[in-house]
Amino acid sequence: MSATGIVSQLLQLAVALALAPMLLGWVNQCRAWLQGKRAPPLLQPYFTIRKLFWKDVIVAANASAIFRLTPYIVFGAMCCAAAIVPSLVTDLPFATAADAIALVGLFALARVFISLAAMDVGTAFGSLGARREMFIGFLAEPALLMVLFTASLISGSTSLPAIVESLAHRDIAIYPSLAFAGVAFTMVSLAENARIPIDNPATHLELTMVHEAMILEYSGRHLALIEWASALKLFNYSCIGIALFLPFGIAEVSDDWRAIAWSALVVKLVVGGAALAVIETLSAKLRIFRAPEFLGTAFLLAVLAMLVNQLLGS
């Protein structure tokens, strides 16, 4: 474990913590512009998180320790995921202890705890949101695993740094398996991050909200950590997509490439955030009972990607 690797690990985590709210603000800005509305400031998520940290925490009298610990567990899980996913460099010493399957497990851990916390107080909205969240996660996680398995079959490893190093050094070409996996990953990413067409992060309507229903009872620093964790989750999924489908520009060990890696990451996040806003603007919110069709299609595309890789070797 070299000193350079430890510095790279800490730098990547610091970049994720710093840029995640800005990515969310960029998506909100692009979405507002496309809808012909006045866009909020780019730094609005930072202002919201700072304001929430200064507010007092109000906890229900019947809340258990799960309700109080969940914001810290969810935020910690997203920080661990940000440390595993290579966004700037592949020289990550701690990433060797956890592969792509463990990464999916971190997302599942956060989902389970936030669902338990939503049901802990016993409100109708919390239980409704928790049931919907587990319903969506039950369908999304297999599709995400199939996408990661497709990339691991190509690279011969389930370690994300190894996958990035393998795919980045291949000749630039259209791989049918990665094309199918990319579409599947986009659909899963929309569902996992509570975006349209599965969920709408800007609504509080009883019949449509999923993620917002689970956090209505949180306030103060607890809510700030959950909001920050949600931004980190979006950032992590964006970096997973970059690592799997656009790994070019991610540095290895040499310090000479870090400036290029930083610039490449910013450009990819800007383009990806704008693309997400376009998808949300052009899509309509689906009924919750149409979610299995949406995520079932993602799973079939991911399985098709694996079959294409096995049959054609590309």
Side-chain angles (χ1 to χ4, degrees), residues 55 70 75 217 219 226 253 275 293:
K55 287 183 174 292
T70 290
F75 183 76
E217 297 299 320
S219 60
I226 290 179
V253 183
E293 300 177 10

Side-chain angles (χ1 to χ4, degrees), residues 78-158:
M78 292 302 105
C79 289
C80 290
I84 293 174
V85 181
S87 57
L88 290 173
V89 294
T90 58
D91 183 22
L92 304 175
F94 299 129
T96 57
D99 57 6
I101 301 176
L103 179 64
V104 177
L106 287 172
F107 292 136
L109 176 68
R111 175 183 294 106
V112 168
F113 269 92
I114 198 169
S115 299
L116 290 175
M119 295 185 293
D120 184 67
V121 182
T123 60
F125 280 139
S127 299
L128 178 145
R131 290 195 299 267
R132 291 178 175 178
E133 177 69 16
M134 296 305 295
F135 174 65
I136 293 172
F138 172 76
L139 299 169
E141 285 177 4
L144 178 59
L145 282 172
M146 292 299 104
V147 170
L148 295 174
F149 287 159
T150 301
S152 66
L153 287 174
I154 296 175
S155 61
S157 173
T158 57

Side-chain angles (χ1 to χ4, degrees), residues 125 199-216 223 227:
F125 280 139
D199 192 12
N200 186 356
T203 185
H204 282 83
L205 297 178
E206 176 183 355
L207 296 178
T208 60
M209 62 180 175
V210 179
H211 176 73
E212 293 296 322
M214 296 189 295
I215 63 175
L216 287 177
L223 183 58
E227 293 291 350

